[in-house]
Each structure stands twice: as structure tokens, then as C-alpha cells.
């Protein structure tokens, strides 16, 4: 039994407020790199490989990197705290960005995938930030605190795609390979995030939460409930939302380039025109992913986690229906991608909150890591298969297949209330 002195309620609330602010600032910085990779990855993969059918490998690689590192980083967080895990993720991302730029200079497709995998490893740290926001949160504010940190990614995630055009201009000035100039901004952002976590994330929220859970009260340590069935459904809801979003989104840059070429009668289109179209569309998609997350966090606290998950599945249905019916209309694709981001946000925020509150503190890092691994690994497989579906059946068929995943997840929702 621990005899360590733990802070009072007011001090814990103060620490939690500061923790959320630091995590939110870190997400702003980390989102710049993520947004640039999402926008440029498919285009770089198609360019370096010479095969559009391989464009999905970029998104698959970033999600694979996150899948491979989610559990190790979660275990490190359980042993050494969130600060260590988050800064290590930033270091992975910095190494990955350098390798991506080198791969474009050498025109080596396998090296590109290696770099994107490391960026994905860094994204595993960004994903862990949302769980770090719940370590010290009270049940009444857990969804809102989580949603606030997810929301902060909006700034960086929207800026990342929008930095493509000015990044290309800056990259040309300094002699960088085509389609890599935006990564200059990513490098600065990742270094800033690393320093922020090292300096400001003190005390470590998970370490403090573990100490509180082990502290002796009048009746001994607090006994927390364990709801494994609800936790497993939470993992399913998060993974389903992510694989649907990632698979469709991964193919959208290539599909938009097809739409642009068709609009020009099949003639060549300027690279700047395609990057502007892709960057704007992905920026709106990322805005949908993160912009409304505080609202969905509030809803999850007020009307329940499972109800909010179902709302997210409904939005995903609307998004995929739009893309199925009007796959070759540019405005429909833009609207569909925005709605796809909104649905992802609801499912991820509410599902993550449900997973956290269904799991005792001693088991949380492991289950949270398993959830992120399941989420990212399924998205990696989905992104690869999405390229095959796009090439063989088309964009509308891809959206229709994704719709089936949404339907199955909705039918299994009663498990989340167990």
C-alpha cells in the first residue's frame, strides 16, 4: 500500500487544466506534420512508384507505423509516464520527415515508405495525447477534456495541407525535391512540440493518476470497475470509424486528380492546380475531423458515449451515401470528405471516453495501446485494399463497401452498454 502524499482535489484540477493546455498546444504542432503527410503521401507514392494503384501504400505506411508503435509507446507511458512516450514519438516523426525528403531526392519508393512509417510512429504519440487528457479528468468532464485536445489538432491539421503551395514555393527556393517543401514547416513544428512536452508536461499526468489510484484512503486503495465487453466495443467503434475514414480519404487525392484531368478533357494539368485542390479538400476534411470534437465530447458527457457513437455512425452513413451517389462531382466529394471527418470525430471521441471509463487505471495504458494498434493496423490494411478497389471498381464502390462496415458497427452497439 502506498503512503505517498497525493495532491488535493483543487490541486489535481489545476494540474489537469494545465495538462490539457499543454497537450492541446502539442497537438497543434503535431497536426502540421500529419496534415502535410496525409495530403502529400499519396501523391509522392504515385510519383515515385510510377503506379497510381500503389498510392494507398503511403497512408498504409503511416498507419502501419502507428500500429507498430502504439502498444510499445503505451507500455512506456505506463512505466515512465506520458512525457517520455510523447517526446519519443516526436523524435520518430522528425527522423521520418528527413527520410521522406531524402527518398524524394533519390526517387526511391521503398525509402519513402520507411520514412512514412516513422512519421506514423510519431503519430502514435499524437494519438496517445487524447488518452493523456483523461488521466486526471473527472467522469463529468472526461469527454470534454478529451475533445478539447482532439480539437487542437484542427489548427495544425488544417494548416498542414494549406502549407503545400507556399511550402512548394519555399522548397523550390532552397532546392528541395518536388512535393516536399511543406515538410520544412513540419520539421519546425515537431521540434517545438518535443521541447514543449519536455519542459511543460510536469507533473506527468499518468504517473500522478497512478499514484492517486494506489494511495490509501479510509478504506484502502480505490477499487475501479472493469467492463471488458464495453471496452471491446469501444475499440471496435474507434477502429471502424478510423478504417472507414482513412480508406476513403487515402484515395481522395488520386480521385481528385482524375476529376481535374477529366475537367480539362484529359489533358495535362498543372501540379499547382492539383495540389491546391487536394490541399483545400483535405484541409476541410481535417477541419471536420477535429473542429467539432469539443461538441462531441460535450455530447458524450451529456447524452452518453454509445449514443454519441451512434450519432457519428449516422454522419458517416450520410458522408458515404453522398460519395456513393455522386463520386465524380467535385463539390460532392468535398462535402462527403467533410462529413466523413465529422463522423470520425464523434466515434473517436466518444469511443475513447468509453474505453477509458470501462478500464481500471492499471490496465488503461495496455488497452489504450491495443485500441490504437487495432485502429491503425486495420486502417493500414484498408488503405492498401482501397487502392485496389479504386482501380478496379471505382471511388463510389469504395464508399459503398465502407458503408457496410458502418452498418455492422451500429448493429453491435448494444455491447457498449453492457
Amino acid at each position: 500500500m502506498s503512503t505517498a502524499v497525493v495532491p488535493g482535489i483543487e490541486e489535481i484540477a489545476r494540474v489537469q487544466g494545465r495538462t490539457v493546455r499543454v497537450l492541446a498546444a502539442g497537438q497543434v504542432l503535431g497536426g502540421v506534420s500529419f496534415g502535410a503527410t496525409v495530403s502529400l503521401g499519396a501523391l509522392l507514392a504515385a510519383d515515385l512508384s510510377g503506379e497510381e494503384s500503389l498510392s494507398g501504400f503511403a497512408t498504409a505506411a503511416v498507419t502501419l507505423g502507428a500500429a507498430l508503435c502504439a502498444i510499445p509507446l503505451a507500455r512506456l507511458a505506463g512505466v515512465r509516464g506520458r512525457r517520455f512516450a510523447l517526446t519519443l514519438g516526436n523524435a520518430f516523426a522528425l527522423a521520418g520527415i528527413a527520410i521522406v525528403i531524402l527518398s524524394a531526392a533519390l526517387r526511391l519508393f521503398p525509402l519513402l515508405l520507411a520514412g512514412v512509417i516513422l512519421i506514423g510512429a510519431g503519430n502514435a504519440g499524437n494519438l496517445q495525447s487524447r488518452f493523456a487528457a483523461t488521466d486526471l479528468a473527472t467522469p463529468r468532464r472526461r469527454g470534454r477534456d478529451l475533445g478539447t485536445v482532439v480539437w487542437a489538432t484542427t489548427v495544425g491539421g488544417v494548416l498542414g495541407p494549406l502549407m503545400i503551395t507556399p511550402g512548394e514555393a519555399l522548397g523550390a527556393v532552397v532546392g528541395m525535391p518536388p512535393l516536399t517543401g511543406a515538410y520544412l514547416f513540419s520539421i519546425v513544428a515537431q521540434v517545438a512540440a518535443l521541447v514543449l512536452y519536455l519542459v511543460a508536461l510536469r507533473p506527468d499526468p499518468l504517473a500522478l493518476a497512478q499514484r492517486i489510484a494506489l494511495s490509501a484512503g479510509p478504506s484502502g486503495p480505490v477499487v475501479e470497475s472493469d467492463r471488458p465487453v464495453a471496452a471491446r466495443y469501444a475499440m471496435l467503434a474507434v477502429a471502424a470509424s478510423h478504417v472507414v475514414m482513412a480508406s476513403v480519404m487515402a484515395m481522395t487525392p488520386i480521385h481528385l486528380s482524375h476529376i481535374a484531368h477529366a475537367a480539362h478533357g484529359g489533358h495535362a494539368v498543372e501540379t499547382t492546380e492539383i495540389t491546391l485542390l487536394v490541399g483545400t479538400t483535405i484541409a476541410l476534411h481535417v477541419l471536420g475531423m477535429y473542429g467539432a470534437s469539443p461538441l462531441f465530447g460535450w455530447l458524450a458527457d451529456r447524452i452518453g458515449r454509445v449514443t454519441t457513437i451512434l450519432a457519428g455512425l449516422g454522419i458517416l452513413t450520410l458522408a458515404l451515401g453522398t460519395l456513393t451517389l455522386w463520386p465524380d462531382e467535385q463539390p460532392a466529394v468535398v462535402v462527403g470528405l467533410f462529413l466523413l471527418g465529422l463522423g470520425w470525430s464523434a466515434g473517436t471521441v466518444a469511443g475513447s471516453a468509453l474505453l477509458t471509463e470501462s478500464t481500471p487505471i492499471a490496465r488503461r495504458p495496455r488497452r489504450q495501446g491495443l485500441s490504437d494498434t487495432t485502429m491503425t493496423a486495420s486502417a493500414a490494411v484498408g488503405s492498401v485494399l482501397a487502392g485496389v478497389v479504386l482501380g478496379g471498381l471505382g471511388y463510389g464502390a469504395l464508399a459503398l463497401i465502407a458503408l457496410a462496415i458502418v452498418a455492422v458497427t451500429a448493429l453491435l452497439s448494444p455491447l457498449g452498454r453492457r
Side-chain angles (χ1 to χ4, degrees), residues 353-372:
L354 177 62
L355 174 62
T356 298
E357 68 187 18
S358 301
T359 307
I361 186 79
R363 297 181 182 179
R364 278 181 198 168
R366 180 177 179 181
R367 281 190 186 168
Q368 289 166 348
L370 178 60
S371 177
D372 283 347

Side-chain angles (χ1 to χ4, degrees), residues 244 248 315-325 340 399-400 402-403 406:
V244 166
V248 176
I315 298 172
L316 288 175
T317 299
L318 182 59
L320 296 169
T322 300
L323 298 176
T324 300
L325 293 173
L340 197 69
L400 188 60
L403 195 57
V406 172

Side-chain angles (χ1 to χ4, degrees), residues 45-62:
D47 179 45
L48 297 185
S49 68
E51 297 288 341
E52 285 191 351
S53 60
L54 299 180
S55 59
F57 275 68
T59 301
V62 76

